[in-house]
Amino acid sequence: LCDPVVVIHCAEAFRLGLGSKIGRADCVSPLVGVVMDEANRVPPLVWAEFMAGSAEWARTLPVVLTVNPSGLKLEIPAGTPTIPMSISDYTQILEVQLATEGFSEYHQLAATSCGLFRWCAQSLTRDPFYDFGLRAMKTLVLQCGRSLRSGAPEELCMVRALHSSLRPQLS
């Protein structure tokens, strides 16, 4: 922890000239590490060319790959340090956020709210400006907390916050 790292998001548009830029990070500080985020999404041929051109800095810098379980394109060589990624547990995240706002019924409220947000995300429009993810849930929690601090019952706080945050997206 707290070691400086360069994080590179490996997307479909992975650029082959990236190796030289990472190599320059070693000139700044030999203690810089490299995290290749979602490295397994890079097409195998592109990855092989990138690694062939990056052999010099790859020997001197610590390199770690994050691996997304969906979209496996690249077989990661055995012995390569990897950090497996997982899908966030929205209910657990919402429970913690509600508990920090002072809710005592956080378990039930989080389960119900996450179910509603999950239904909205799966059933309603997929346009990118309709957000039913963690950002929307954080906004919901902040509204709930303000309402709870004003003295309203917990369930009423949640209903009001759900109404005010979801209504504009549903009309």
Side-chain angles (χ1 to χ4, degrees):
L1 294 177
C2 300
D3 289 337
V5 295
V6 175
V7 178
I8 301 164
H9 186 284
C10 301
E12 293 294 330
F14 192 83
R15 291 187 177 28
L16 294 178
L18 198 55
S20 62
K21 293 179 184 176
I22 299 167
R24 285 196 297 264
D26 184 38
C27 296
V28 175
S29 171
L31 302 176
V32 171
V34 178
V35 176
M36 305 293 287
D37 189 26
E38 298 189 27
N40 60 316
R41 290 183 179 259
V42 177
L45 180 60
V46 174
W47 181 258
E49 291 176 17
F50 172 74
M51 289 309 291
S54 306
E56 184 178 325
W57 64 261
R59 282 192 299 269
T60 60
L61 297 175
V63 178
V64 176
L65 309 178
T66 65
V67 180
N68 190 326
S70 64
L72 291 174
K73 288 184 178 179
L74 177 68
E75 191 66 34
I76 304 297
T80 304
T82 61
I83 302 171
M85 297 170 63
S86 63
I87 297 171
S88 302
D89 183 351
Y90 284 21
T91 305
Q92 188 175 28
I93 292 169
L94 194 56
E95 283 179 7
V96 170
Q97 290 179 340
L98 287 171
T100 60
E101 288 288 339
F103 284 81
S104 59
E105 299 294 325
Y106 56 87
H107 182 72
Q108 178 185 356
L109 293 171
T112 304
S113 301
C114 281
L116 177 60
F117 273 88
R118 194 174 305 113
W119 178 85
C120 289
Q122 292 171 351
S123 303
L124 302 177
T125 182
R126 301 241 189 263
D127 289 337
F129 48 85
Y130 289 103
D131 181 15
F132 300 109
L134 288 175
R135 269 187 231 104
M137 288 184 196
K138 180 64 177 176
T139 301
L140 175 81
V141 168
L142 294 174
Q143 290 176 355
C144 286
R146 281 192 295 272
S147 186
L148 184 66
R149 285 187 290 279
S150 71
E154 290 185 1
E155 287 183 2
L156 182 59
C157 293
M158 182 59 76
V159 169
R160 285 179 181 165
L162 284 168
H163 182 265
S164 66
S165 65
L166 292 178
R167 184 169 181 254
Q169 296 182 32
L170 301 177
S171 57

